[in-house]
Amino acid sequence: MEISNKRVVCSAPGKVLVTGGYLVLDKKYDGIVFTIDSRFYTTIEGSLKSSPTPSSSSETLTSSFETLEYLTDINVISPQFHSSQTYHIYHNKSNYNKSYELKPFGNENYRENKYVENTIIYSLIALSQYKNQTTEFFNKLISSYRLISITIVGDNGFYSQIPQLKKRNLSISFESLKSLPKFLPVTGSLEELQKTGLGSSAALVSSLTASLLSFFGAIDLECKDSQSQKDKTVLHNLAQVAHCIAQGKIGSGFDISSAVFGSQVYRRFSPELINDILKLFDSKLYPNPKDLLKYISETEWDNKHLDMGLPRGLHLLLADVSIGSNTPVMVKKILEWRKNDPIVANGIWNQLDIENTNVKHCFIKLNQLSKENESQYDKILSQFGNIPQSDWESSISNNNNNNNNNNNEEESLFFSNIGKTLITIRGSFLKIRSLMREMGKIADVPLEPIEQTELADETMSINGCIAAGVPGAGGFDALFAIVITNQDEIKNCWMNWKKCQVLPLVLNENSTGVAIDMSHITPKL
């Protein structure tokens, strides 16, 4: 690895899980997750020493750290949280299960940041012997820096901006939201912070992991060959480890997978793959470098991700529903119910899987149809977007009759294929919503509360809307819509909703996963 004195910026996207809520926790089922253009950005800059010399341990070590070798300082800055924390980085020569340690200093208001600190430590452990490099060489590389600065920011879409709008005396509207400056500071305390459910922690961990690996030359995200896919796989696996450790549990992993690889059909990895790492952490220990590399770069993980963006001509809308839900509690109650009532639960899950699979196949089919004849596809899609959904069936019949009379069987088939596919998607989403309500009722968990049902029904009644629903784990956090046309009408419907405050978010589906983004301008603290 060569010393890099360049500024490195990596970004990773947020996500919306549109099918597979709860099911993605089980390896038997998959889900569709679309990534969006709201992203987390991590900037790393290193200040090289003018003449690298080994640091004397007496400069920074106390008697309790006598076995630790001081390497350098690292400063983590979060401008949106008005936070700056500096750490000493130490290498522990005598304990392979605590090979690197971060010691915070110089801040009376220090608060542990599990997502950032664990990502840094696990990345250092992996980097120390990655690609057959020696720990001594890597430590010399780190020590060549006087200071390593890390700045992390997230797009406004990850947090509810309603407090900012009120603070600025702006109307609670989509236009006001669009007018806000980028990377606004959050208002209130961490406990009061209301997220929008876009996977902020996964996007943060993925962008930070990517930046650390890129900064030290371990991966090349700009490369387009097969090595790039191997690099992304190592990045994915390492980010999954760090994220699970920070959460204190092994989740489904779809949020990290999408943050790294982009929009996809996802099926989870077996928890057993990294269970030993979690057990070590419970004992306040880490895997040694060789073991961690075995887990992230030599072991074949059994997760699956099929690249699949939103089909051409369809648009993803998302609303911030300012009520909020406790997702971990909801997940826990659903899993307890499934364990206690497996026959009923598995019956519902299998029905959900059938409808989720229908949606997946229909999205794939629309992608294929759009490639066959883009202009004709766009024209037909627009026609369906501008008539009531109740007329879709009759429109197909009328078109078939007209084209058959004029011997245009090929055009008729193309029109019919698109129309029937849209009808199937809509029907499957309606069944998914019904099954989620049934599951919520039995388990006594508000997966689609009545307020969300009314809002989703109203949204789906607007011309051009194929589907609407509550993403991910359900509850009150958000609402999504998949639409062909009439985006403004749907946004207006949401903003004028009387039963709760609903604000359309400024975002679009974007299939790009983790990426180098050297043009990004990092705001200062």
Side-chain angles (χ1 to χ4, degrees):
M1 296 182 191
E2 296 181 0
I3 292 177
S4 168
N5 52 14
K6 294 181 180 178
R7 171 176 165 274
V8 170
V9 187
C10 290
S11 65
K15 52 69 190 171
V16 180
L17 185 72
V18 296
T19 71
Y22 295 98
L23 272 68
V24 289
L25 293 163
D26 190 322
K27 266 192 65 59
K28 290 195 297 184
Y29 308 106
D30 54 35
I32 299 171
V33 52
F34 292 131
T35 48
I36 53 175
D37 53 9
S38 287
R39 303 176 73 86
F40 257 83
Y41 297 83
T42 298
T43 303
I44 301 186
E45 297 177 272
S47 303
L48 286 167
K49 294 174 182 173
S50 54
S51 55
T53 53
S55 293
S56 166
S57 61
S58 63
E59 290 177 351
T60 50
L61 296 185
T62 65
S63 58
S64 59
F65 301 149
E66 287 172 357
T67 62
L68 303 183
E69 174 193 3
Y70 168 76
L71 300 177
T72 191
D73 289 342
I74 192 164
N75 182 219
V76 179
I77 307 161
S78 300
Q80 289 161 300
F81 289 89
H82 307 286
S83 167
S84 176
Q85 177 61 54
T86 306
Y87 305 84
H88 297 314
I89 302 180
Y90 296 110
H91 175 241
N92 192 331
K93 294 178 283 189
S94 64
N95 189 344
Y96 241 43
N97 288 112
K98 267 194 174 180
S99 52
Y100 289 93
E101 295 188 35
L102 294 181
K103 300 292 181 184
F105 72 95
N107 186 351
E108 293 178 0
N109 300 315
Y110 165 74
R111 290 183 62 168
E112 181 184 26
N113 189 327
K114 293 179 182 179
Y115 291 99
V116 169
E117 292 168 8
N118 283 299
T119 300
I120 292 172
I121 289 175
Y122 280 89
S123 295
L124 292 176
I125 294 170
L127 284 162
S128 69
Q129 292 187 17
Y130 190 55
K131 295 183 178 176
N132 299 316
Q133 161 177 262
T134 64
T135 300
E136 290 74 20
F137 180 83
F138 179 63
N139 288 349
K140 186 178 178 183
L141 174 58
I142 297 179
S143 298
S144 66
Y145 291 100
R146 177 179 56 81
L147 177 69
I148 297 171
S149 296
I150 299 176
T151 306
I152 305 170
V153 292
D155 279 320
N156 293 343
F158 288 100
Y159 310 109
S160 175
Q161 297 301 324
I162 290 173
Q164 279 285 357
L165 296 177
K166 289 178 178 177
K167 183 180 175 183
R168 293 162 184 255
N169 293 318
L170 294 171
S171 62
I172 311 298
S173 69
F174 182 73
E175 291 304 315
S176 295
L177 207 56
K178 281 203 302 185
S179 74
L180 293 176
K182 285 176 73 70
F183 309 122
L184 278 172
V186 299
T187 56
S189 66
L190 271 175
E191 290 73 24
E192 295 167 336
L193 180 64
Q194 190 170 326
K195 297 182 180 181
T196 52
L198 300 181
S200 56
S201 64
L204 183 158
V205 167
S206 299
S207 71
L208 176 55
T209 307
S211 292
L212 287 164
L213 297 185
S214 298
F215 182 82
F216 288 108
I219 63 173
D220 183 0
L221 291 175
E222 294 181 295
C223 183
K224 301 299 179 187
D225 59 13
S226 59
Q227 183 59 44
S228 174
Q229 286 307 306
K230 291 178 183 175
D231 284 350
K232 278 193 174 181
T233 298
V234 170
L235 162 60
H236 164 269
N237 296 353
L238 181 57
Q240 290 282 17
V241 168
H243 196 242
C244 288
I245 288 293
Q247 291 186 120
K249 62 183 176 65
I250 300 173
S252 68
F254 79 88
D255 43 6
I256 290 285
S257 184
S258 57
V260 173
F261 296 109
S263 296
Q264 61 186 259
V265 179
Y266 175 77
R267 186 165 296 202
R268 71 158 305 146
F269 61 90
S270 297
E272 296 77 28
L273 280 166
I274 60 172
N275 213 28
D276 288 345
I277 297 179
L278 213 60
K279 286 179 181 175
L280 267 176
F281 188 76
D282 289 341
S283 303
K284 295 184 167 49
L285 297 172
Y286 303 98
N288 66 56
K290 283 187 170 58
D291 285 345
L292 181 58
L293 287 171
K294 182 182 75 176
Y295 289 120
I296 67 169
S297 66
E298 297 164 23
T299 303
E300 187 83 26
W301 286 40
D302 55 355
N303 57 299
K304 290 183 173 61
H305 60 92
L306 167 70
D307 291 347
M308 190 178 74
L310 195 61
R312 178 184 173 93
L314 303 189
H315 307 278
L316 179 70
L317 302 180
L318 198 76
D320 173 11
V321 181
S322 302
I323 300 176
S325 297
N326 191 324
T327 299
V329 170
M330 292 167 64
V331 171
K332 184 180 178 184
K333 288 185 74 172
I334 288 292
L335 293 181
E336 282 178 357
W337 161 70
R338 191 182 182 213
K339 182 180 177 181
N340 295 331
D341 195 358
I343 295 175
V344 172
N346 288 336
I348 293 175
W349 281 37
N350 288 333
Q351 289 179 69
L352 278 165
D353 183 53
I354 290 169
E355 301 306 332
N356 291 343
T357 302
N358 281 343
V359 172
K360 175 178 71 175
H361 289 157
C362 286
F363 282 156
I364 292 170
K365 187 170 183 179
L366 284 181
N367 278 321
Q368 292 169 340
L369 289 168
S370 69
K371 291 172 185 173
E372 288 178 22
N373 188 330
E374 282 187 3
S375 60
Q376 189 69 5
Y377 171 90
D378 292 344
K379 180 183 173 184
I380 292 169
L381 204 63
S382 179
Q383 286 178 251
F384 280 100
N386 287 302
I387 60 173
Q389 295 87 337
S390 56
D391 293 343
W392 284 1
E393 287 274 11
S394 58
S395 181
I396 294 170
S397 299
N398 293 337
N399 186 77
N400 288 345
N401 293 334
N402 292 336
N403 280 326
N404 287 340
N405 292 336
N406 297 318
N407 296 318
N408 291 328
E409 291 183 15
E410 193 172 317
E411 283 184 29
S412 177
L413 182 61
F414 197 67
F415 187 97
S416 179
N417 277 338
I418 292 173
K420 287 179 178 177
T421 305
L422 294 174
I423 289 168
T424 302
I425 293 172
R426 184 175 173 82
S428 286
F429 269 109
L430 286 169
K431 288 176 186 171
I432 289 166
R433 287 181 51 207
S434 174
L435 288 164
M436 292 293 275
R437 287 195 299 272
E438 182 183 349
M439 181 162 70
K441 186 176 180 181
I442 298 170
D444 193 27
V445 181
L447 301 188
E448 188 185 281
I450 184 64
E451 295 91 337
Q452 293 280 55
T453 298
E454 292 172 352
L455 181 58
D457 287 346
E458 183 66 24
T459 303
M460 287 188 72
S461 72
I462 297 170
N463 288 1
C465 181
I466 303 170
V470 187
F476 286 104
D477 286 341
L479 189 87
F480 75 86
I482 296 171
V483 306
I484 306 167
T485 55
N486 292 331
Q487 296 180 57
D488 288 342
E489 187 178 342
I490 290 169
K491 290 171 186 172
N492 287 331
C493 166
W494 288 349
M495 286 187 287
N496 293 320
W497 194 250
K498 304 297 183 188
K499 299 185 180 180
C500 57
Q501 194 162 56
V502 183
L503 181 60
L505 295 178
V506 182
L507 57 79
N508 294 290
E509 190 265 347
N510 186 309
S511 298
T512 306
V514 73
I516 290 275
D517 190 348
M518 298 307 291
S519 63
H520 169 71
I521 298 173
T522 304
K524 299 301 180 185
L525 184 64

